[in-house]
Amino acid sequence: MVEGLYIHVPFCANKCPYCDFVSFVSEPSKEYLELLKRELELYKDLPFDLKTIYLGGGTPSLYPTKLWREFFKDLDTRGVKEITMECNPESYKREDFEGLLELGINRLSFGVQSFLEKNLRFLGRWHSPKEGIRAILEAKSAGFENLSIDLIYGLPGQTLQDLREELKIVKDLPITHLSAYLLTPYEDTLFGHLWQKGELKLPSDEQIEEMFLFLSEELSSMGFEHYEISNFAKEGYRCAHNLLYWSHREFLGLGVSAWSFINKKRFGNYRNLEKYKRAVLQGEKPIEMEESLEGEELLKDYLFVALRTRDGVPKEVLPNIPDHIRGFFLEEGERVRLSKKGWLLINEILLELWDEVVHTLTMEVPNLQNHLLLPLRTTCLCGGWGLL
């Protein structure tokens, strides 16, 4: 049963030097919204019980609200509890937020990235710290109760004092959710090229650990639950859409480069916009890659995503944790999860689990789906799934 719908909008006003998601510096086209509708029609025979919709990108807020109004009039949102849109702070004003709320969009995720001018300029962001604050306050004034922001940390030369300055501002804002992502020099990005040439110096592992634990402790003291490696939420405001991914429930991704998981099969759309368009116009599902997952591979991937979360996994899934890594796990009732120190080493811990735990399991774990997530070094998880 498909419970989540991810819609990828690939258009941006500019390409940020850290972003490795599929996006194009281009004016958003009305034609693309029509393609999304036609693609959805190709899946009309699937059983749907939609609980969440996520508009990610790219920059969905490049579209004027009147075009989103036309798009949503043909979309059945009955029973949908959470509809998220990613927004750049400079995109919308109060009247736009009011229009989005009328459409049923009830959660906004702002790509603030920083409240410090020097960081915004380094990250290639166009908005100012004041515009970031203004957008959040105007959305709240328009009636939004569920507001999330993204912050990026681990910048060259960044200090704990810089993070303190960021969190002083966060503390006074009416946000219910925060995603803190570690700056990552992905291979095909400007930062990636600079890093490979030795021209981008990032913090050491020790500094990153210090920043990660500082953010966790400070945000917890402000009433945020650290419920996933990169995500923090006030009570009752976890991101329901991303929880679908981390708990291996079915979702459909629409748009160029979007990924889906249905019937134990993971499949991704064309990353090339023209190939995507051609397939949809010909009445073909625009699938470029597909992989079926069964048994051990399904279980391994379940561990990979579920252990990112504070909820962890049922004890019976991990009956034989090796002694040399047991100290990184915590038991709570009938579940087991990684500690914060464990989160910092999640890749290494999972590699140990594959050989010593997964191969010994003969039980069948139902309803697992493959949805590979990066651990700490990532840029945009809350909007990025379905993306690779």
Side-chain angles (χ1 to χ4, degrees), residues 45 51 55 82 113 132 159 173 179 181 205 213 220 249 258 261 265 278 295 303 315 325 336 352 374:
D45 294 334
K51 301 288 196 308
L55 305 170
E82 178 190 276
Q113 316 309 357
T159 65
L173 291 173
S179 299
Y181 299 126
D205 289 346
L213 295 175
S220 295
R249 303 210 293 280
F261 185 88
K265 186 177 292 184
R278 190 181 308 122
L303 293 175
K315 282 183 181 179
I325 58 173
V336 61
E352 296 293 326
L374 294 171

Side-chain angles (χ1 to χ4, degrees), residues 78 110-111 162-163 196 255 290 310:
R78 290 173 298 178
F110 287 103
D162 291 331
L163 289 179
Q196 289 170 3
E290 185 174 284
R310 193 187 185 284

Side-chain angles (χ1 to χ4, degrees), residues 3 6 87 90 163 228 270 272 282 370 386:
E3 297 183 61
Y6 175 81
C87 291
E90 70 272 20
L163 289 179
E228 191 269 346
Y270 287 112
N272 179 283
Q282 291 175 352
N370 189 321

Side-chain angles (χ1 to χ4, degrees), residues 220-232:
S220 295
S221 72
M222 293 160 55
F224 288 89
E225 176 197 21
H226 194 174
Y227 74 101
E228 191 269 346
I229 289 180
S230 301
N231 287 278
F232 305 79

Side-chain angles (χ1 to χ4, degrees), residues 293-302 354 358-361 368:
L293 294 156
E294 298 288 345
E296 183 180 296
E297 290 304 312
L298 201 58
L299 176 57
K300 286 167 66 174
D301 194 69
Y302 171 66
W354 298 160
V358 175
H359 289 306
T360 67
L361 290 176
L368 302 182

Side-chain angles (χ1 to χ4, degrees), residues 2 4-8 39-40 43 46 48 241 245 249-255 257-269 285-293 301 369-372 384-388:
V2 177
L5 185 65
Y6 175 81
I7 299 172
H8 187 64
E39 184 186 1
L40 181 59
Y43 292 96
L46 287 176
F48 281 88
H241 185 79
Y245 303 148
R249 303 210 293 280
E250 293 189 341
F251 63 92
L252 174 67
L254 301 179
S257 80
W259 281 80
S260 308
F261 185 88
I262 300 170
N263 295 328
K264 296 183 181 181
K265 186 177 292 184
R266 177 163 54 93
F267 51 95
N269 284 350
K285 294 175 182 176
I287 298 172
E288 184 173 29
M289 291 176 282
E290 185 174 284
E291 181 182 13
S292 295
L293 294 156
D301 194 69
Q369 74 182 37
N370 189 321
H371 202 32
L372 298 178
W385 278 112
L387 301 175
L388 283 180

Side-chain angles (χ1 to χ4, degrees), residues 120-341:
L120 289 173
R121 301 292 76 80
F122 171 76
L123 292 169
R125 305 296 291 173
W126 282 15
H127 67 274
S128 68
K130 287 185 178 179
E131 285 177 311
I133 294 170
R134 174 204 59 79
I136 295 165
L137 295 179
E138 287 194 349
K140 176 68 174 179
S141 177
F144 276 92
E145 296 295 331
N146 197 349
L147 296 171
S148 179
I149 65 169
D150 292 347
L151 291 180
I152 295 178
Y153 69 100
L155 281 61
Q158 189 176 35
T159 65
L160 289 186
Q161 183 56 37
D162 291 331
L163 289 179
R164 285 191 184 93
E165 293 300 316
E166 301 268 20
L167 296 187
K168 282 181 184 177
I169 297 171
V170 168
K171 188 174 184 179
D172 293 330
L173 291 173
I175 63 170
T176 53
H177 189 279
L178 184 147
S179 299
Y181 299 126
L182 182 64
L183 180 64
T184 306
Y186 289 110
E187 183 177 358
D188 293 327
T189 65
L190 175 59
F191 281 174
H193 297 316
L194 293 175
W195 183 73
Q196 289 170 3
K197 293 190 294 183
E199 297 176 11
L200 181 68
K201 185 174 177 57
L202 297 175
S204 67
D205 289 346
E206 292 76 14
Q207 290 171 313
I208 289 169
E209 178 180 354
E210 188 177 28
M211 290 181 185
F212 175 78
L213 295 175
F214 173 79
L215 285 168
S216 181
E217 291 166 7
E218 290 297 308
L219 288 167
S220 295
S221 72
M222 293 160 55
F224 288 89
E225 176 197 21
H226 194 174
Y227 74 101
E228 191 269 346
I229 289 180
S230 301
N231 287 278
F232 305 79
K234 294 287 182 69
E235 185 176 356
Y237 287 98
R238 290 182 175 191
C239 180
H241 185 79
N242 277 8
L243 287 172
L244 292 178
Y245 303 148
W246 299 323
S247 58
H248 271 192
R249 303 210 293 280
E250 293 189 341
F251 63 92
L252 174 67
L254 301 179
V256 62
S257 80
W259 281 80
S260 308
F261 185 88
I262 300 170
N263 295 328
K264 296 183 181 181
K265 186 177 292 184
R266 177 163 54 93
F267 51 95
N269 284 350
Y270 287 112
R271 295 171 62 87
N272 179 283
L273 186 56
E274 286 304 314
K275 289 183 178 179
Y276 167 80
K277 174 181 175 181
R278 190 181 308 122
V280 173
L281 290 179
Q282 291 175 352
E284 301 172 358
K285 294 175 182 176
I287 298 172
E288 184 173 29
M289 291 176 282
E290 185 174 284
E291 181 182 13
S292 295
L293 294 156
E294 298 288 345
E296 183 180 296
E297 290 304 312
L298 201 58
L299 176 57
K300 286 167 66 174
D301 194 69
Y302 171 66
L303 293 175
F304 195 57
V305 294
L307 286 177
R308 291 182 58 93
T309 71
R310 193 187 185 284
D311 294 337
V313 300
K315 282 183 181 179
E316 61 264 27
V317 176
L318 287 177
N320 300 307
I321 299 172
D323 289 340
H324 65 288
I325 58 173
R326 183 175 293 277
F328 294 108
F329 287 85
L330 301 173
E331 292 188 10
E332 295 182 345
E334 295 303 311
R335 301 187 73 84
V336 61
R337 65 181 179 90
L338 284 173
S339 65
K340 291 177 185 178
K341 291 281 189 178

